[in-house]
Amino acid sequence: MSYGNDEVRWEVVTAFVCLGLARGEKVLVLPCPGVPEEEVLARIDFPSRSTVPARERGQLVLTSMRELLLPDTEFTAARQLGRLRAATDRATAEGYAGLRAFIDMGWVPALGTDVTVMERRETGADALFAGRPYTEICAYDRRRFDRKVVAAMERAHPRAVLERLGTLRSVRGPDEALCFVGEADAANQAAFARSLEIALARTAAARRLTVDLTRLHFLSVGCAVALLTLARGAAGHDLVEVRCDGGQRRMLRRLGSDAVPRLTPTEVVRPC
């Protein structure tokens, strides 16, 4: 994730910590160096002191990258990945369902680590998760990192966290599909339609576009109508495939998707 103000950062940390505790996982929080421990605890405890028992029993641990690397002092990707793998194994041995870590990347400049070294770590961390009950959020403060670095890190990770609930993002999938993430509601309808217009223009030569709605938490009638209207007007396309869940497909059908010749809804079953 990336953030541009502290409120966003603490909202994500709090939600991530609470979810991990509720799932019976051990939780590590590595805040930005320089942030007092008292502030971190006050933020994640707000509005109640719900994390106090977890800290007392060792389920929630505030630490730092420097402490994680001990007894070594120099960061290497192999060293950090090894420490996190070992921490995951210890967590499961202690009876926890897994391990999750929130890592604020402010430690990179604080330890004098070269950003390119960190980029290689981020693009080669698959072994950290494969077959292991481990979850991680890497948080980049856009006030500290160059925009190109943040963009590269976003491409390197399998998921990018929305900064706030109620927002909408459009991204290109691995197969060049237009993927919508978040909430396609009335407030985001203009952005939804604009993303579709750009995608249709971009795929004019190929004469086909795939739109993926399966990562939306909400699809409004207005956005669904905008999709059907733009697909109906896309005379230069032979096919507009819409990947959707069952509820989204029923909505599109009730709104007249069967009358749009070039539009093909494809129902995708979401994983449990």
Side-chain angles (χ1 to χ4, degrees), residues 75-77 107 113-123:
F75 171 86
T76 68
W107 70 264
T113 303
D114 190 284
V115 172
T116 58
V117 174
M118 196 59 226
E119 288 179 358
R120 288 196 293 271
R121 183 275 191 193
E122 301 289 60
T123 56

Side-chain angles (χ1 to χ4, degrees), residues 210-223:
T210 298
V211 180
D212 192 335
L213 305 178
T214 60
R215 291 169 63 186
L216 286 175
H217 301 299
F218 178 78
L219 175 65
S220 71
V221 170
C223 287

Side-chain angles (χ1 to χ4, degrees), residues 51 125 147 219:
T51 63
R147 182 173 57 184
L219 175 65

Side-chain angles (χ1 to χ4, degrees), residues 225-240:
V225 169
L227 170 58
L228 297 180
T229 301
L230 288 168
R232 184 178 291 111
H237 282 65
D238 297 324
L239 174 66
V240 177

Side-chain angles (χ1 to χ4, degrees), residues 42-269:
R43 292 281 193 166
I44 62 178
D45 271 341
F46 183 81
S48 65
R49 294 179 57 78
S50 58
T51 63
V52 173
R55 296 203 307 273
E56 291 175 346
R57 63 177 175 264
Q59 185 181 4
L60 172 61
V61 178
L62 266 61
T63 184
S64 67
M65 188 57 64
R66 196 181 299 277
E67 292 180 30
L68 184 69
L69 296 175
L70 290 176
D72 299 291
T73 57
E74 181 183 359
F75 171 86
T76 68
R79 184 170 291 154
Q80 188 214 39
L81 294 175
R83 296 288 195 278
L84 290 171
R85 282 194 294 267
T88 304
D89 292 341
R90 285 196 301 274
T92 55
E94 292 168 359
Y96 294 107
L99 178 72
R100 62 174 50 205
F102 182 94
I103 304 176
D104 193 295
M105 305 307 288
W107 70 264
V108 175
L111 294 186
T113 303
D114 190 284
V115 172
T116 58
V117 174
M118 196 59 226
E119 288 179 358
R120 288 196 293 271
R121 183 275 191 193
E122 301 289 60
T123 56
D126 291 350
L128 190 59
F129 305 92
R132 290 175 175 272
Y134 179 67
T135 308
E136 176 183 289
I137 289 182
C138 300
Y140 289 82
D141 187 340
R142 295 193 297 272
R143 299 165 296 185
R144 290 173 173 262
F145 289 92
D146 183 88
R147 182 173 57 184
K148 292 182 179 179
V149 172
V150 175
M153 292 301 95
E154 186 170 311
R155 290 192 298 270
H157 288 72
R159 291 287 185 270
V161 179
L162 293 174
E163 288 197 27
R164 290 186 183 277
L165 294 175
T167 55
L168 176 72
R169 291 188 63 200
S170 59
V171 296
R172 288 194 196 181
D175 55 355
E176 293 299 304
L178 173 64
C179 302
F180 286 104
V181 185
E183 297 188 16
D185 58 11
N188 298 318
Q189 185 172 328
F192 181 85
R194 181 59 178 158
S195 295
L196 283 169
E197 290 170 350
I198 293 172
L200 286 167
R202 176 175 54 82
T203 56
R207 301 183 64 83
R208 61 175 296 156
L209 170 66
T210 298
V211 180
D212 192 335
L213 305 178
T214 60
R215 291 169 63 186
L216 286 175
H217 301 299
F218 178 78
L219 175 65
S220 71
V221 170
C223 287
V225 169
L227 170 58
L228 297 180
T229 301
L230 288 168
R232 184 178 291 111
H237 282 65
D238 297 324
L239 174 66
V240 177
E241 179 191 10
V242 180
R243 297 175 187 159
C244 49
D245 62 27
Q248 293 165 345
R249 184 172 185 178
R250 287 191 293 274
M251 177 190 288
L252 293 173
R253 181 167 291 167
R254 289 170 182 169
L255 293 172
S257 62
D258 291 344
V260 182
R262 62 182 58 86
L263 187 138
T264 302
T266 301
E267 185 172 338
V268 178
V269 179

